[in-house]
Amino acid sequence: MIPESLCITGGRPLHGTVATSGSKNAALPIMAASILARQPVVLEGVPRLTDVDTLAEILRSLGLSVSWSQEGTLELATVELDPVRADYELVSRMRAGFCVLGPLLARRGRAAVSLPGGCAIGDRPVDLHLAALTALGADLKVEHGYVVGRTEQLVGAEVQLSGPRGPTVTGTANVLCAAAMARGRSVLYGAAVEPEVVDLGRFLNAMGARIEGLGTSTIEVEGVEKLGGADYRIIPDRIEAATLLLAIAVTGGRATIEDLVPGHLDAVLNALQRSGCRIKTTENSVCLTAPQRPRAQNISAQPYPGIPTDIQAQWMAFLALADGRSTISDEVFPGRFMHVAE
């Protein structure tokens, strides 16, 4: 039961060591991509979160078995191919539910997916998803709040995945899954380069896909007829890691975050160092020592490899302590500034 209020006693710097969980934003599209698999999929490092439970419900409604093993891995397998409707009640809870559209079209040739919900942080249309899937040969219509589509066979094409605010991450995930089983070669221009997209591509390749250019803005996909199963480990959550680092910094502490990829956090670590934090990294850990008082600076949330919009609010809390005047802008979701009034 969620409490009506929280009583927080502050003034305690954070010390010690803590491990990062697996990436939610990588796990969700990878779970959706399991629709493509002809054999079972076993995923390690999936975080136990409400969004994961919601997507598991969506996948079960689409004919997949989804269960946690005693070892903490998530196991998925298709048991029924007929269901193709992802209902509004589930998809409206989070935007990532829309990621089942591409896999359904590629594996089953039909789909009826509710338009996505999720956090209200500005204009986040799905027109790039639909235009790219149409270019691959899907016949799509929007009817009563659902995207309804069918195709006899998806065919490779050249598609554009970047819009006014940069590349679409969920759109890249949707189209990458569809192109993996399209006939012929696809080229995805303006593709998202986020580590979570790279992780999805590596997962698809582990199932037998033929994808090159992951981590660049141009991804080439040679479609295959079918995809098998895979045992795969999800990457660490860079947003959680960055939030923990800022928590150490804002409390004036000294602590170590383990089980992360420091290379995924270059922009964040550089900005923390500019603010006066001392940073020491190893292959899979970061130790942060906070300054007595941070230095003011200008922060701009950008698409990867920039500072993530997801930690824009955490930066504002930290810079509220800084010596001098700081400026924060958000080039991804300016509507996220609604937190300022609170």
Side-chain angles (χ1 to χ4, degrees), residues 116-336:
C119 41
I121 51 175
D123 186 22
R124 307 171 80 188
V126 296
D127 54 338
L128 292 170
H129 302 232
L130 305 187
L133 292 170
T134 298
L136 292 174
D139 179 16
L140 300 176
K141 299 177 182 177
V142 178
E143 299 178 350
H144 309 294
Y146 283 78
V147 176
V148 179
R150 69 173 51 246
T151 179
E152 293 297 324
Q153 170 69 61
L154 295 176
V155 179
E158 296 185 358
V159 299
Q160 175 59 240
L161 292 170
S162 188
R165 296 201 177 276
T168 166
V169 175
T170 54
T172 301
N174 247 332
V175 177
L176 195 57
C177 289
M181 289 185 62
R183 186 175 66 243
R185 179 172 172 269
S186 298
V187 183
L188 283 54
Y189 295 108
V193 300
E194 275 74 359
E196 296 80 13
V197 172
V198 175
D199 210 34
L200 170 63
R202 289 175 177 164
F203 169 71
L204 292 170
N205 282 343
M207 293 198 298
R210 298 170 63 186
I211 302 168
E212 296 181 349
L214 293 167
T216 74
S217 59
T218 302
I219 301 176
E220 298 184 21
V221 185
E222 191 67 39
V224 299
E225 184 177 346
K226 60 183 179 180
L227 294 170
D231 289 9
Y232 193 79
R233 183 167 190 84
I234 305 296
I235 59 171
D237 195 314
R238 63 191 173 97
I239 305 303
E240 178 182 317
T243 299
L244 292 170
L245 288 168
L246 281 161
I248 299 166
V250 82
T251 61
R254 183 182 186 279
T256 299
I257 311 300
E258 295 183 332
D259 294 346
L260 51 71
V261 180
H264 292 169
L265 295 165
D266 282 344
V268 175
L269 297 179
N270 289 337
L272 284 167
Q273 286 179 314
R274 290 195 303 271
S275 73
C277 296
R278 285 188 286 131
I279 303 288
K280 183 179 179 180
T281 64
T282 69
E283 184 180 357
N284 63 355
S285 72
V286 173
C287 178
L288 183 144
T289 302
Q292 188 170 12
R293 187 175 184 188
R295 292 190 291 267
Q297 60 178 301
N298 298 332
I299 294 290
S300 178
Q302 303 278 350
Y304 187 84
I307 291 175
T309 179
D310 309 71
I311 61 167
Q312 176 246 100
Q314 295 91 306
W315 269 107
M316 187 168 292
F318 179 47
L319 293 178
L321 302 173
D323 185 15
R325 183 185 183 91
S326 299
T327 302
I328 301 176
S329 61
D330 195 322
E331 303 300 323
V332 183
F333 297 131
R336 196 185 290 271

